[in-house]
């Protein structure tokens, strides 16, 4: 249900705690004791291909999360005893890190909420949830600070369709405001002054895009070439009008097949609509180090919810945002595993996409038509093929002032690497790994960084001087996957950390 990649090259996977016995037992105890004897969270070590079970004390069903500047995952909300809980997971390299439940609590129940890390160090914006038409901050700025009413959530709520504004899409803009999308509407929101700066046009067409209609969204890469000032969002998939009520009757409406793009920073922004190769709902959208978008997982009919979808879409789509309209989509090789409700996908440091989950049943069922799925798999984009190794930067190292704990904003740092041949067009990209759940990649961000100097040493090593982003508004403090992209072929990522001086 939930998945993150940590800077220790591990993947944390976790689920709800009340769906029954999972596939992994915790220690030696009575197998009938639920949930204490069954793992609902694991740490997967990529290099050793091994898993370590971990205990969750409260229910993280349909919760949310964000990374703090030191790589700690802050994880909020859930269901039942977890609805107001705040949890922390600090990654480690020795296998002795565990979930920590905070004594602090959220002001409102947060079930199907969204998190966004803010430019202020280690401050998180938390918005929405079932019957929670508010937003709040973690941590609070004062002991008496509570939740703030969000009129936009009142206006976008569709009671007949279980809200259709849950898990809203949120992106931090480089001007410090938040882009917030729910149902079919979107706003630019000044969270410091608690007011709406701008209403954007309604996304064209019928049907909704947010849970349970569950499309997905990405902010396309930000680049130094325009001072990280131009912002464009892409929203793909969703459900037809009335899909939720229809699915409750057993009637699965065809999902939406459209994507819509909008340049938020235009003076008069307008949506531009294009069609995917097929209809899709509950799709994950992953920014690849090439700046392309992978659309993976989901179904072609229905919506999110227990047994509310049919006809899984097994073929991923590759979307190339900088190609002409007619040549942006490519249909890729299919999986054999349906990834329906409660599946997820994350980008790994080596450039593959790690895919896990799927449980469209009220409890864990292993003999259903779409069973609880315990298999994980990776999708390997074309650039991972060894055929491209002659283009791939190898042995990448990053050098900076190590008296600091990371690379300061606006600071130049040195990147060294090997190339088998003369370099092609070089890019230096930094990717913020997200918290992924329910087709949302919360906090996902890709930045194209400036190279000010490039030389080739006599020993063949390449040396580039690269400039860090100018501020935490452009790139919130924390760990990023850094890749050297040569002629469209990315290196394996190195972890770097951006910090305030």
């Amino acid at each position: 249900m939930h998945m993150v990649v940590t800077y220790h090259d591990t993947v944390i996977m976790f689920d709800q705690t009340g769906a029954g016995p999972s596939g992994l037992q915790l220690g030696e105890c009575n197998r009938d004791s639920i949930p204490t004897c069954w793992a609902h969270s694991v740490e997967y070590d990529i290099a050793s291909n091994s898993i370590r079970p971990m205990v969750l004390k409260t229910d993280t069903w349909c919760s949310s999360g964000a990374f703090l500047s030191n790589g700690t995952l802050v994880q909020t909300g859930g269901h039942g005893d977890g609805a107001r809980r705040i949890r922390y997971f600090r990654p480690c390299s020795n296998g002795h890190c565990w979930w920590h439940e905070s004594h602090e609590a959220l002001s409102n129940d947060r079930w199907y909420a969204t998190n966004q890390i803010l430019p202020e160090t280690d401050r998180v914006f938390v918005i929405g949830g079932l019957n929670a038409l508010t937003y709040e901050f973690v941590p609070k700025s004062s002991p008496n600070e509570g939740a703030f009413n969000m009129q936009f959530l009142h206006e976008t709520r569709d009671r007949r369709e279980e809200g259709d504004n849950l898990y809203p899409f949120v992106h931090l803009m480089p001007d410090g405001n938040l882009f917030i999308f729910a149902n079919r509407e979107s706003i630019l929101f000044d969270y410091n002054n608690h007011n709406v700066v701008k209403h954007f046009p309604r996304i064209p067409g019928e049907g909704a895009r947010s849970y349970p209609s569950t499309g997905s969204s990405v902010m396309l890469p930000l680049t130094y070439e325009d001072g990280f000032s131009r912002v464009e969002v892409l929203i793909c998939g969703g459900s037809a009008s009335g899909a939720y009520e229809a699915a409750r009757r057993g009637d699965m409406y065809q999902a939406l097949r459209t994507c819509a793009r909008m340049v938020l920073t235009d003076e008069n922004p307008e949506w531009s609509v294009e069609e995917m190769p097929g209809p899709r709902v509950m799709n994950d959208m992953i920014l690849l180090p090439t700046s392309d978008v992978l659309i993976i997982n989901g179904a072609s009919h229905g919506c999110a919810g227990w047994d509310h979808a049919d006809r899984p879409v097994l073929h991923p789509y590759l979307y190339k945002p900088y190609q002409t309209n007619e040549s942006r989509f490519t249909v890729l090789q299919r999986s054999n595993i349906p990834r329906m409700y409660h599946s997820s996908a994350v980008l790994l440091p080596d450039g593959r996409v790690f895919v896990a989950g799927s449980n469209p049943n009220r409890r864990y069922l292993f003999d259903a038509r779409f069973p609880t799925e315990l298999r994980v798999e990776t999708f390997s984009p074309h650039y991972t093929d060894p055929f491209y190794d002659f283009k791939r930067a190898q042995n990448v190292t990053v050098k900076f002032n190590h008296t600091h704990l990371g690379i300061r904003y606006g600071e130049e740092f040195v990147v060294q690497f090997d190339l088998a041949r003369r370099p092609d067009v070089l890019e230096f990209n930094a990717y913020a790994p997200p918290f992924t759940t329910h087709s949302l990649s919360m906090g996902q961000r890709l930045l194209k960084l400036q190279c000010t100097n490039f030389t080739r040493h006599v020993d063949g090593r390449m040396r580039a001087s690269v400039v860090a982003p100018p501020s935490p508004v452009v790139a919130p403090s924390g760990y990023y996957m850094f890749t050297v992209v040569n002629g469209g072929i990315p290196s394996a990522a190195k972890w770097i950390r951006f910090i305030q001086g």
Side-chain angles (χ1 to χ4, degrees):
M1 186 182 293
H2 314 299
M3 194 153 58
V4 295
V5 178
T6 81
Y7 71 97
H8 281 294
D9 289 340
T10 60
V11 182
I12 309 302
M13 294 176 275
F14 55 108
D15 201 76
Q16 67 187 100
T17 61
S22 68
L24 184 63
Q25 194 173 2
L26 283 170
E28 295 181 6
C29 57
N30 184 350
R31 293 174 65 93
D32 295 327
S33 178
I34 300 172
T36 55
C37 284
W38 299 90
H40 298 280
S41 173
V42 297
E43 180 184 50
Y44 170 70
D45 185 274
I46 299 169
S48 66
N49 192 34
S50 61
I51 61 172
R52 178 172 67 93
M54 298 186 295
V55 175
L56 280 170
K57 294 182 180 179
T58 57
D59 196 353
T60 55
W61 182 10
C62 300
S63 52
S64 51
F67 279 111
L68 303 181
S69 61
N70 66 355
T72 294
L73 174 67
V74 56
Q75 214 278 315
T76 57
H79 183 258
D81 64 354
R84 296 196 181 190
R85 297 311 299 259
I86 302 172
R87 310 166 196 86
Y88 293 95
F89 183 84
R90 177 74 184 271
C92 63
S93 58
N94 60 9
H96 293 289
C97 37
W98 312 97
W99 286 102
H100 168 70
E101 300 256 352
S102 173
H103 296 297
E104 303 294 325
L106 298 168
S107 298
N108 288 167
D109 291 356
R110 299 291 174 189
W111 196 28
Y112 304 96
T114 299
N115 288 14
Q116 172 62 53
I117 190 67
L118 297 174
E120 302 85 11
T121 302
D122 296 341
R123 192 177 186 215
V124 179
F125 179 80
V126 186
I127 179 174
L130 190 65
N131 300 318
L133 307 178
T134 61
Y135 63 94
E136 60 183 288
F137 299 94
V138 175
K140 307 297 184 191
S141 59
S142 67
N144 297 325
E145 182 181 276
F148 300 87
N149 181 59
M150 188 61 154
Q151 185 60 32
F152 175 70
L153 294 179
H154 291 269
E155 295 167 356
T156 54
R157 186 184 193 187
D158 186 342
R159 292 180 179 272
R160 295 169 300 177
E161 292 293 291
E162 196 66 13
D164 259 351
N165 68 348
L166 303 176
Y167 276 134
F169 307 152
V170 181
H171 300 293
L172 173 65
M173 299 279 288
D175 64 1
N177 293 312
L178 298 174
F179 171 78
I180 304 175
F181 180 101
N183 199 319
R184 296 173 58 196
E185 311 292 342
S186 52
I187 57 173
L188 187 65
F189 187 67
D190 178 352
Y191 64 87
N192 283 310
N193 295 303
H194 309 285
N195 70 280
V196 175
V197 176
K198 179 187 289 187
H199 285 85
F200 293 102
R202 171 178 287 186
I203 197 168
E206 298 299 320
R209 308 282 181 157
S210 43
Y211 186 94
S213 289
T214 307
S216 192
S217 167
V218 294
M219 183 170 69
L220 294 178
L222 302 175
T223 177
Y224 75 92
E225 294 176 329
D226 54 33
F228 303 100
S229 63
R230 185 181 186 273
V231 182
E232 186 171 11
V233 296
L234 171 70
I235 295 174
C236 293
S239 295
S241 296
Y244 183 80
E245 280 298 312
R248 294 180 66 180
R249 303 190 303 267
D251 189 4
M252 306 297 176
Y253 289 177
Q254 181 173 286
L256 304 181
R257 67 182 303 154
T258 54
C259 292
R261 289 170 65 163
M262 182 166 61
V263 180
L264 305 180
T265 47
D266 277 357
E267 186 174 348
N268 296 298
E270 295 289 341
W271 292 101
S272 173
V273 179
E274 51 196 308
E275 288 199 344
M276 294 187 286
R280 205 159 194 146
V281 63
M282 298 184 292
N283 46 284
D284 285 278
M285 292 171 66
I286 308 298
L287 283 168
L288 300 178
T290 57
S291 300
D292 297 332
V293 181
L294 183 71
I295 303 173
I296 196 168
N297 298 339
S300 66
H301 286 69
C303 65
W306 306 129
D307 298 316
H308 279 19
D310 203 355
R311 304 186 195 180
V313 182
L314 300 175
H315 289 274
Y317 303 150
L318 184 68
Y319 180 83
K320 297 185 175 183
Y322 306 116
Q323 299 288 345
T324 59
N325 200 338
E326 299 76 19
S327 56
R328 288 176 179 160
F329 281 103
T330 304
V331 179
L332 303 176
Q333 185 176 348
R334 59 171 282 167
S335 169
N336 293 318
I337 304 175
R339 299 290 182 181
M340 306 281 278
Y341 190 41
H342 292 151
S343 59
S344 52
V346 291
L347 179 69
L348 297 179
D350 64 9
R352 295 175 299 160
V353 175
F354 189 79
V355 185
S358 190
N359 181 36
N361 313 294
R362 287 190 176 272
R363 295 180 64 79
Y364 295 146
L365 292 177
F366 302 104
D367 58 356
R369 181 173 173 232
F370 298 118
T372 303
E373 186 55 68
L374 300 183
R375 291 172 293 178
V376 299
E377 58 189 331
T378 55
F379 176 79
S380 298
H382 76 283
Y383 56 71
T384 61
D385 194 306
F387 172 80
Y388 295 104
D389 283 352
F390 73 96
K391 275 192 172 185
R392 199 179 321 280
Q394 306 281 2
N395 303 317
V396 177
T397 59
V398 177
K399 298 183 178 181
F400 57 94
N401 187 343
H402 284 276
T403 59
H404 307 147
L405 296 176
I407 302 169
R408 292 179 172 180
Y409 290 104
E411 184 176 74
E412 285 198 3
F413 59 96
V414 173
V415 181
Q416 293 183 328
F417 54 94
D418 298 327
L419 280 179
R421 298 186 182 182
R422 187 174 180 175
D424 202 332
V425 177
L426 284 168
E427 291 184 352
F428 300 89
N429 295 342
Y431 174 81
F435 175 89
T436 300
T437 187
H438 289 77
S439 303
L440 270 74
S441 291
M442 303 177 192
Q444 181 174 225
R445 202 174 193 86
L446 182 65
L447 302 107
K448 296 176 176 293
L449 304 181
Q450 181 181 13
C451 175
T452 59
N453 185 54
F454 179 75
T455 57
R456 183 186 181 105
H457 288 191
V458 292
D459 62 359
R461 286 282 280 174
M462 308 290 177
R463 184 185 189 278
S465 296
V466 179
V467 182
S471 72
V473 180
V474 171
S477 300
Y479 284 90
Y480 288 70
M481 295 183 199
F482 177 80
T483 53
V484 179
V485 183
N486 178 43
I489 303 302
S491 67
K494 300 293 289 186
W495 287 100
I496 61 174
R497 185 186 181 194
F498 296 132
I499 61 169
Q500 299 198 56

